[in-house]
Amino acid sequence: GHIVRNWKVRWFVLLQDKLLYYKIEGGKKEPSPKGRILLDGCTITCPCLEYENRPLLIKLKTKTNTDYFLECCSREERDSWALDITGAIHAGHPVQVQELHRMKNSFKLLESISLHHIVERMCDSTTGIKLTRNLEQGNRYKETFTGSALVDWLISNSFAVSRFEAVTLASMLMEENFVKPVGARSTEATRYSDLSEQFLDDSTALYMFAETSKKNISSKEELQFNISELSGTIVKQGFLVKQGHKRKNWKVRRFVLRADPAFLHYYDPTKEEHRPVGGFSLRGCLVSALEDNGVPAGVKGNVQGNLFKIITKNDIHYYIQASSKAERAQWIEAIKPLT
């Protein structure tokens, strides 16, 4: 409502240039419309996250700057209405209508996109994703969010332009262990081999921040520790291929070997950030070359050879591929004295 900000059920009819809404009396709509929204010059926001407890909103702003908030009964209904209303707004421009339908299943993530930046925004206390308690099959989970809520948030904050694109981005967050599934519904989906099917754009699939992504360098001790990690003398650096711990896939990483203190850090070369995406102390580590005749246990996927393995003192196994046997030998020779 415009005067009293309450919510009322209305029957909506979409015409080519306007949206009519009717009062409901006795289960039937009245013959004449209660009001109309002229679509010429309108802008539409979907998903609209201005109301924390109403995730299924569409916002229409007329060219006279009047805001209309329309709540749907389901995400699918909301997205369908939004697409049709957007088509009506651009009805006089058939090329734009075609582009809108193409965008619905588009995929064109920004090349410079930073997952770290997205997670930082997600964790913001005012504009980040809202964390709630959820109950699934008798289990109570704290500080979770649903798959569809994350997709809505990514689109609303302009990290993605379509649900398909947002699902892909959410899958990347999960693959890099920023977000993890909780509960049977979302955990079951991770068994699919296709990454695009592992994250569910669903209001019943639950997710939460992984512990690694929630660590905030706030205390003085933690800050000093992290600075000291990166303060050592660089002994060697270069590009290697590393197997992921969770998905067991292989990704190119820029490795930096430091001494005093002895650490091996790795960076994502697609990001402009200068902080590592992972790393570990070399004290107490074991490093060894792996034979090229056959794939060792614990190694999966596309293995080209020239493998070596580092086992930390906490018994974490890192599998790394070099581009040649000579390069592998150089890295092992550089790492061994620092263990």
Side-chain angles (χ1 to χ4, degrees), residues 111-253:
E111 292 181 4
S112 60
I113 202 160
S114 165
L115 297 183
H116 285 281
H117 175 61
I118 292 173
V119 173
E120 286 177 0
R121 289 277 302 275
M122 287 174 67
C123 293
D124 189 278
S125 59
T126 54
T127 60
I129 193 165
K130 304 303 178 186
L131 303 179
T132 59
R133 292 172 179 247
N134 281 285
L135 190 68
E136 185 191 88
Q137 296 182 347
N139 296 315
R140 188 177 296 277
Y141 300 99
K142 297 180 180 179
E143 296 189 331
T144 61
F145 46 86
T146 66
S148 57
L150 177 53
V151 169
D152 283 351
W153 186 89
L154 290 169
I155 296 173
S156 178
N157 285 272
S158 302
F159 290 114
V161 298
S162 68
R163 301 197 77 79
F164 179 81
E165 188 172 306
V167 167
T168 304
L169 190 51
S171 300
M172 292 167 63
L173 290 169
M174 191 169 68
E175 182 186 16
E176 295 294 337
N177 202 32
F178 289 111
V179 169
K180 67 178 182 180
V182 290
R185 181 88 172 87
S186 55
T187 304
E188 178 68 25
T190 60
R191 299 180 183 180
Y192 290 106
S193 58
D194 187 352
L195 183 63
S196 64
E197 297 177 352
Q198 292 179 1
F199 182 87
L200 300 178
D201 179 8
D202 193 297
S203 59
T204 63
L206 301 181
Y207 298 88
M208 66 189 304
F209 290 114
E211 289 303 313
T212 52
S213 68
K214 289 178 66 179
K215 287 180 181 176
N216 189 4
I217 303 170
S218 55
S219 70
K220 190 175 181 181
E221 293 75 20
E222 287 179 354
L223 184 62
Q224 289 175 342
F225 174 76
N226 280 275
I227 289 175
S228 68
E229 272 191 28
L230 303 172
S231 65
T233 303
I234 295 178
V235 176
K236 185 176 177 59
Q237 58 182 315
F239 291 99
L240 297 166
V241 183
K242 173 186 164 294
Q243 179 179 262
H245 290 293
K246 190 174 182 182
R247 305 291 170 198
K248 304 300 182 185
N249 53 354
W250 293 89
K251 290 189 174 181
V252 175
R253 293 290 183 250

Side-chain angles (χ1 to χ4, degrees), residues 252-290:
V252 175
R253 293 290 183 250
R254 181 172 66 85
F255 280 79
V256 177
L257 177 63
R258 292 182 173 89
D260 300 320
F263 274 85
L264 184 62
H265 292 99
Y266 47 94
Y267 300 73
D268 187 342
T270 66
K271 299 183 176 71
E272 295 181 359
E273 294 179 338
H274 298 295
R275 55 183 173 183
V277 295
F280 50 92
S281 170
L282 290 171
R283 293 301 178 198
C285 283
L286 297 174
V287 57
S288 61
L290 296 176

